[in-house]
């Protein structure tokens, strides 16, 4: 298995631009998580999906952030418009089961986003 | 108060030392307690998990959970330079929470 695949691995963009991050979960996993990691705040859960349905998006910081999961093998996290404070590493993770039972999450390599 | 508190360190120890990493939490509904390891510029990976209270051992690693004190620990025996990483505790009940991570360096 290839593991969780994220693209792009690095993204540098200017403030105000739209950014789209992509994730392909592990085949057979039915939960998908988007996280943001910074030195100051650590790893923050933004949103998670179960069976392609958003279950909890309370971690999404603002309306500028949106996430979709059109099918079991693909998800996107979009930031529009982007701001310098969005600079962080964004991780996608997948697992079997609901979040409360998903003790084993498999993380992708992350997307390092820099907004100038 | 944060759901999960973890000392960020950094922690620096000589090779062969015993390392103790700890987290406290506030939500008594947490049932699964995990430790993830994250190498530099990589995603976290699950190291160990424990269900409810008690100890679990896996090679040089031992995880302990004390639900009465809302306190979990990870012990690393005979630490190696390859153990140098950030260790994140995590726990789940109805939702999933990570600690902020403790950075560990094992000096040869």
């Amino acid at each position: 298995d290839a593991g969780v695949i994220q693209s792009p691995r690095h993204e540098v963009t200017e403030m105000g631009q739209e950014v789209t991050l992509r994730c392909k979960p592990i085949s057979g996993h039915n939960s998908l998580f988007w996280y943001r990691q910074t030195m100051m705040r650590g790893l923050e859960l933004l949103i998670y999906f179960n069976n392609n349905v958003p279950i909890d998006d309370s971690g999404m910081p603002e309306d500028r952030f949106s996430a979709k999961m059109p099918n079991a093998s693909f998800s996107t996290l979009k930031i529009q418009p982007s701001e310098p404070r969005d600079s962080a590493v964004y991780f996608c993770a997948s697992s079997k089961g609901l979040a409360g039972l998903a003790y084993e999450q498999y993380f992708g390599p992350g997307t390092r986003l820099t907004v100038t | 108060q944060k759901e999960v508190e973890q000392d960020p360190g950094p922690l620096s120890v000589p090779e062969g030392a015993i390392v103790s990493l700890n987290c406290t939490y506030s939500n008594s509904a947490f049932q699964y307690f995990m430790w993830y390891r994250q190498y530099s510029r990589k995603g976290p990976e699950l190291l160990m998990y424990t269900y409810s209270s008690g100890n679990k051992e896996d090679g040089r690693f031992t995880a302990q959970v004390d639900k009465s004190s809302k306190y979990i620990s990870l012990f690393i025996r005979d630490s190696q330079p390859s153990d140098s990483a950030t260790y994140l505790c995590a726990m789940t009940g109805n939702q999933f929470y990570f600690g902020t991570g403790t950075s560990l360096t094992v000096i040869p």
Side-chain angles (χ1 to χ4, degrees):
Chain A
D1 199 320
V4 176
I5 299 172
Q6 289 187 249
S7 64
R9 294 293 307 276
H10 301 273
E11 177 80 33
V12 180
T13 191
E14 292 184 347
M15 182 174 63
Q17 295 299 305
E18 177 179 296
V19 175
T20 299
L21 310 181
R22 298 173 176 79
C23 176
K24 176 179 169 56
I26 292 172
S27 177
H29 285 188
N30 62 344
S31 287
L32 183 139
F33 307 80
W34 281 102
Y35 291 89
R36 176 172 68 177
Q37 187 175 43
T38 61
M39 290 291 291
M40 290 295 294
R41 301 174 68 90
L43 197 62
E44 301 175 279
L45 177 63
L46 301 177
I47 185 171
Y48 77 89
F49 296 83
N50 182 255
N51 293 326
N52 312 336
V53 176
I55 302 299
D56 186 352
D57 65 354
S58 59
M60 298 285 262
E62 299 169 37
D63 290 345
R64 299 184 296 106
F65 286 70
S66 63
K68 293 182 180 179
M69 192 165 187
N71 57 61
S73 59
F74 184 67
S75 177
T76 59
L77 178 68
K78 186 175 292 186
I79 308 172
Q80 166 62 22
S82 58
E83 296 183 4
R85 60 197 168 111
D86 301 330
S87 297
V89 181
Y90 290 81
F91 288 104
C92 175
S94 69
S95 73
K96 296 179 182 178
L98 288 170
L101 300 175
Y103 57 84
E104 185 163 19
Q105 296 186 15
Y106 293 81
F107 283 76
T111 295
R112 186 170 296 273
L113 174 65
T114 303
V115 183
T116 60
Chain B
Q1 183 184 8
K2 284 186 178 179
E3 295 278 356
V4 180
E5 299 275 1
Q6 183 174 11
D7 186 339
L11 190 59
S12 183
V13 301
E15 182 175 352
I18 296 175
V19 176
S20 172
L21 305 168
N22 310 293
C23 287
T24 58
Y25 63 94
S26 56
N27 190 338
S28 57
F30 290 145
Q31 295 181 310
Y32 283 93
F33 302 88
M34 290 73 70
W35 287 95
Y36 280 75
R37 178 174 62 195
Q38 184 177 20
Y39 291 113
S40 180
R41 296 188 175 265
K42 301 285 187 184
E45 57 179 351
L46 181 67
L47 191 60
M48 297 180 69
Y49 77 91
T50 308
Y51 177 71
S52 193
S53 284
N55 295 357
K56 188 172 186 178
E57 188 173 321
D58 184 2
R60 297 184 293 108
F61 298 87
T62 300
Q64 288 186 351
V65 175
D66 182 349
K67 292 191 77 174
S68 62
S69 302
K70 296 189 175 66
Y71 189 87
I72 70 170
S73 300
L74 177 70
F75 297 96
I76 307 174
R77 292 185 300 279
D78 187 25
S79 56
Q80 302 295 308
S82 59
D83 296 329
S84 298
T86 296
Y87 291 80
L88 301 101
C89 62
M91 42 203 81
T92 182
N94 294 322
Q95 290 188 320
F96 206 96
Y97 294 93
F98 275 92
T100 51
T102 299
S103 175
L104 170 68
T105 300
V106 181
I107 303 168

